[in-house]
Amino acid sequence: MQDRGTLFVVSAPSGTGKTTLVKELVPRITSLALSRSYTSRPPRPNERDGVDYDFVTLGRFEAMRDAGEFLEWANVFGHLYGTSALDTKRQLDAGRDLMLVINVQGARQVQRLDAGAIGIFVLPPSPEVLQCRLRQRSGTHLTEDELQRRLTVARQEVECLKDYDYVVVNDEFEVCIDHLRCIILAERQSQRVVGASVQAIARSFGEKG
């Protein structure tokens, strides 16, 4: 087993369902945790502070950012989001695999800092389906201008999927969950993760009795 956990970075256009997918996936896999982001935006009706996000004031977020406390941070549609560098290190050092649900901006920052991070891009099945999901999303009341802005950003983000190690399509929810689960389990058996223990076994076959 590896001493340090693996960092999985999950990105997708707003409204694709990436957070819902990861929240459903994490309890199904042992030693897998979901990173909780800090944000300056107010909670939606179904969200709880300290559970879904750490909700902080804009002033506190900016102070944390300026103090270098974030592994990554981004401005997403006028609100700031960031991942605690210390919390991330603690989870990984404890041997847990950790999933970050962040946008393309944040993913670039993480990949520059951690070459071992595994990128997963969740793709909506079509622009039409994404538009429908954005309109129906609970607790969100988008104007037409806001909706079109999100769709424009989505097109830009989809162009970045080539920078990720894996791409899954969130068409059928359970199928997508299964694909994500396969990615996590496959990465846990990669040479990068188990190479040292595998090589020790391989060397033992060359030892004379």
Side-chain angles (χ1 to χ4, degrees), residues 40 56-68 70 73 80:
S40 67
V56 295
T57 64
L58 176 60
R60 184 180 173 205
F61 189 102
E62 290 176 336
M64 293 175 69
R65 177 198 62 194
D66 295 345
F70 291 127
W73 72 274
L80 303 181

Side-chain angles (χ1 to χ4, degrees), residues 79-168:
H79 297 295
L80 303 181
Y81 294 80
T83 302
S84 167
L86 182 59
D87 290 347
T88 300
K89 184 178 185 301
R90 284 173 176 166
Q91 295 266 30
L92 296 176
D93 287 350
R96 297 187 191 92
D97 293 333
L98 187 63
M99 301 199 80
L100 303 187
V101 181
I102 56 179
N103 75 347
V104 169
Q105 292 173 261
R108 289 195 187 109
Q109 296 173 50
V110 172
Q111 288 163 347
R112 284 197 296 267
L113 293 170
D114 188 339
I118 304 299
I120 305 172
F121 195 92
V122 182
L123 191 66
S126 71
E128 293 75 21
V129 169
L130 180 61
Q131 180 170 329
C132 182
R133 290 177 182 174
L134 282 168
R135 289 187 186 279
Q136 294 176 347
R137 186 156 68 174
S138 173
T140 327
H141 304 284
L142 298 177
T143 65
E144 191 61 30
D145 285 347
E146 289 171 334
L147 175 65
Q148 293 306 317
R149 183 185 174 200
R150 278 165 168 73
L151 292 173
T152 297
V153 171
R155 285 190 286 271
Q156 296 168 350
E157 290 177 331
V158 168
E159 292 177 359
C160 298
L161 62 82
K162 64 183 181 299
D163 300 325
Y164 289 73
D165 301 289
Y166 298 92
V167 179
V168 297

